[in-house]
């Protein structure tokens, strides 16, 4: 079995040795330009077109992340990159759900306990107890209720918040009210105080967090974007912050990354920023998952994690 690997920043040696150890029968190599020797599987992130083009012999391509938008958009321009019938897999959880839970829970508690307000008061050397917020007025809405969104929603429900989620199909997550489809989006938004985005980037979800949507949230809402920058119209968020409709935002992803130095988001006192690291690929967990999936394919089983090219995620 031959496996080729390409990632612009990961330590290739670590991946080659790790995969080799998990699949001793495999021969794993870092793909180099000009290498068109046969391969059974490809592990990739931002793959060059020529790495995958015409490789009809592949039994599977593994994206080394959860979101496959960058690969799918490249495929639009270069359909030959994924020969017909070759399945594309992505990482399902592999340690990312826990990271997303840590990120979301810590920030929700930060807002709920009004640490943002106390930080602002501290700047003015003001000792001033504020009114408590109450769980019943702190409804959390998670846009996108898949592998990551579902777990984030459940972890917040465990803290006693009313939690709802929105997805294409109905869900049955513990302590979480499920809304599904475009026809239930308004109902989902109505009363949502904290909006957390964990949708995939698809033609249906681009620009979904815009002024129309923000205006449907509860007054003084909070917005957390953990999915993709293109989901959020940054100017609309800034307008909603300035009008007071949105009280604060925590953003991990941006329309342009790295976020340009002249972006007004950097200086906004009620916007917090992290550089796209809400959940990163954990090599060990990812390799265990990929090796397990390869074994399932080799045994003629149908593994999970296959991307639907029709749905775009
Ligand atoms: N900031 C970061 O560091 C990271 C960001 N991400 C981002 O998080 C995203 C989510 O990951 P993951 O949870 O694994 O993805 P999943 O595919 O498991 O979940 C996607 C969810 O979105 C829902 N959805 C998709 N399209 C629509 C639509 N048009 N209307 C309503 N709901 C929709 C799906 O509904 P249904 O369940 O019904 O299909 C599903 O619940 C990734 O695509 C990636 O962009 C991921 C990792 C790290
Ligand atoms: O896995 C993903 O989709 C990511 O965004 C990782 O940073």
């Amino acid at each position: 079995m031959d496996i080729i690997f390409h990632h612009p920043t990961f330590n290739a040696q670590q991946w080659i040795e790790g995969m080799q150890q998990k699949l001793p029968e495999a021969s794993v190599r870092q793909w180099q330009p000009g290498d068109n020797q046969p391969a059974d599987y490809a592990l990739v992130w931002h793959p060059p077109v020529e790495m995958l083009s015409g490789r009809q012999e592949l039994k599977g391509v593994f994206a080394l992340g959860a979101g496959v938008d960058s690969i799918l958009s490249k495929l639009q321009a270069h359909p030959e990159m994924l020969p017909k019938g070759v399945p594309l897999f992505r990482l399902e959880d592999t340690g990312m759900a826990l990271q997303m839970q840590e990120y979301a829970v810590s920030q929700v508690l930060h807002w709920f306990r009004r640490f943002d307000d106390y930080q602002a008061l501290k700047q003015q050397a003001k000792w001033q107890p504020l009114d408590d917020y109450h769980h019943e007025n702190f409804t959390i809405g998670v846009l996108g209720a898949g592998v990551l969104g579902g777990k984030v929603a459940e972890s917040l429900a465990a803290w006693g918040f009313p939690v709802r989620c929105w997805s294409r199909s109905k869900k049955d997550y513990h302590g979480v009210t499920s809304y599904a489809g475009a026809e239930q989006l308004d109902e989902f938004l109505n009363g949502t105080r904290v909006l957390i985005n964990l949708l995939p980037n698809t033609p249906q979800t681009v620009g979904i967090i815009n002024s129309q949507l923000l205006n449907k949230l509860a007054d003084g809402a909070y917005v957390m974007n953990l999915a993709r920058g293109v989901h959020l119209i940054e100017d609309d968020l800034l307008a909603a912050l300035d009008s007071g409709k949105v009280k604060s935002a925590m953003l991990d992803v941006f329309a342009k990354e790295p976020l340009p130095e002249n972006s007004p988001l950097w200086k906004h006192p009620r916007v917090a920023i992290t550089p796209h690291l809400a959940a990163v690929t954990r090599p060990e967990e990812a390799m265990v998952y990929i090796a397990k999936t390869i074994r399932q394919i080799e045994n003629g089983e149908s593994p999970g994690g296959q991307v639907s090219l029709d749905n775009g995620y």
Side-chain angles (χ1 to χ4, degrees):
M1 177 196 305
D2 290 295
I3 300 178
I4 48 176
F5 172 91
H6 171 84
H7 195 292
T9 55
F10 283 1
N11 177 340
Q13 206 47 41
Q14 178 191 12
W15 280 77
I16 289 167
E17 285 168 16
M19 287 306 299
Q20 199 79 68
Q21 192 207 359
K22 283 162 191 64
L23 294 169
E25 69 276 33
S27 164
V28 190
R29 67 183 191 270
Q30 183 174 17
W31 180 84
Q32 304 287 354
D35 170 359
N36 46 27
Q37 292 303 303
D40 299 287
Y41 297 97
L43 277 47
V44 299
W45 197 245
H46 294 295
V49 175
E50 66 270 29
M51 176 182 181
L52 300 176
S53 290
R55 283 192 179 273
Q56 195 63 58
E57 78 277 12
L58 284 170
K59 295 187 235 173
V61 173
F62 289 86
L64 298 176
V68 286
D69 46 340
S70 61
I71 294 192
L72 294 185
S73 69
K74 216 165 184 180
L75 267 177
Q76 294 266 318
H78 302 279
E80 72 279 10
M81 251 178 71
L82 193 69
K84 219 173 168 43
V86 175
L88 172 64
F89 295 90
R90 68 185 192 96
L91 297 181
E92 284 195 332
D93 190 343
T94 63
M96 285 190 251
L98 178 61
Q99 296 173 66
M100 284 295 184
Q101 289 173 323
E102 291 163 354
Y103 193 115
V105 170
S106 59
Q107 188 59 29
V108 166
L109 293 177
H110 180 87
W111 285 328
F112 181 65
R113 293 302 307 263
R114 306 194 63 169
F115 292 153
D116 51 345
D117 293 324
Y118 287 114
Q119 187 61 24
L121 288 168
K122 187 218 167 210
Q123 306 297 329
Q124 305 163 48
K126 270 199 178 156
W127 180 278
Q128 186 187 328
L130 301 169
D131 289 342
D132 286 347
Y133 284 161
H134 298 281
H135 285 86
E136 60 269 26
N137 302 323
F138 225 74
T139 296
I140 295 162
V142 182
L143 283 172
V147 172
L148 303 178
K151 294 204 171 111
V152 163
E154 284 189 327
S155 64
L156 287 160
W159 278 92
F161 295 105
V163 181
R164 44 177 76 164
C165 66
W166 183 69
S167 43
R168 290 202 320 152
S169 54
K170 275 268 182 201
K171 305 293 175 196
D172 186 17
Y173 295 126
H174 189 67
V176 180
T177 308
S178 163
Y179 296 82
E183 56 287 359
Q184 289 200 319
L185 180 58
D186 281 1
E187 211 183 322
F188 163 86
L189 295 170
N190 184 19
T192 290
R193 181 85 179 273
V194 180
L195 185 76
I196 300 177
N197 178 36
L198 274 163
L199 284 166
N201 169 15
T202 70
Q204 291 74 39
T205 63
V206 169
I208 189 168
I209 309 176
N210 52 33
S211 39
Q212 226 191 339
L213 179 146
L214 294 170
N215 280 330
K216 292 176 182 163
L217 297 172
D219 289 341
Y222 301 86
V223 174
M224 205 186 300
N225 190 12
L226 307 182
R228 287 293 182 261
V230 292
H231 288 133
L232 170 72
I233 307 295
E234 291 171 359
D235 285 346
D236 289 5
L237 174 69
L238 286 163
L241 282 158
D242 291 345
S243 75
K245 180 71 194 176
V246 170
K247 187 172 172 207
S248 290
M250 175 90 209
L251 308 176
D252 182 57
V253 286
F254 301 88
K256 188 153 190 276
E257 294 180 4
L259 182 63
E261 262 178 47
N262 62 357
S263 167
L265 291 168
W266 282 117
K267 291 216 171 94
H268 200 292
R270 285 178 284 121
V271 175
I273 287 174
T274 49
H276 196 148
L277 45 62
V280 299
T281 296
R282 299 270 191 237
E284 188 54 29
E285 281 116 314
M287 284 191 271
V288 167
Y289 175 85
I290 293 168
K292 186 182 98 193
T293 306
I294 288 179
R295 284 203 194 293
Q296 290 174 315
I297 298 172
E298 293 290 314
N299 291 336
E301 298 160 24
S302 316
Q306 189 172 343
V307 174
S308 159
L309 299 182
D310 289 338
N311 293 340
Y313 66 98

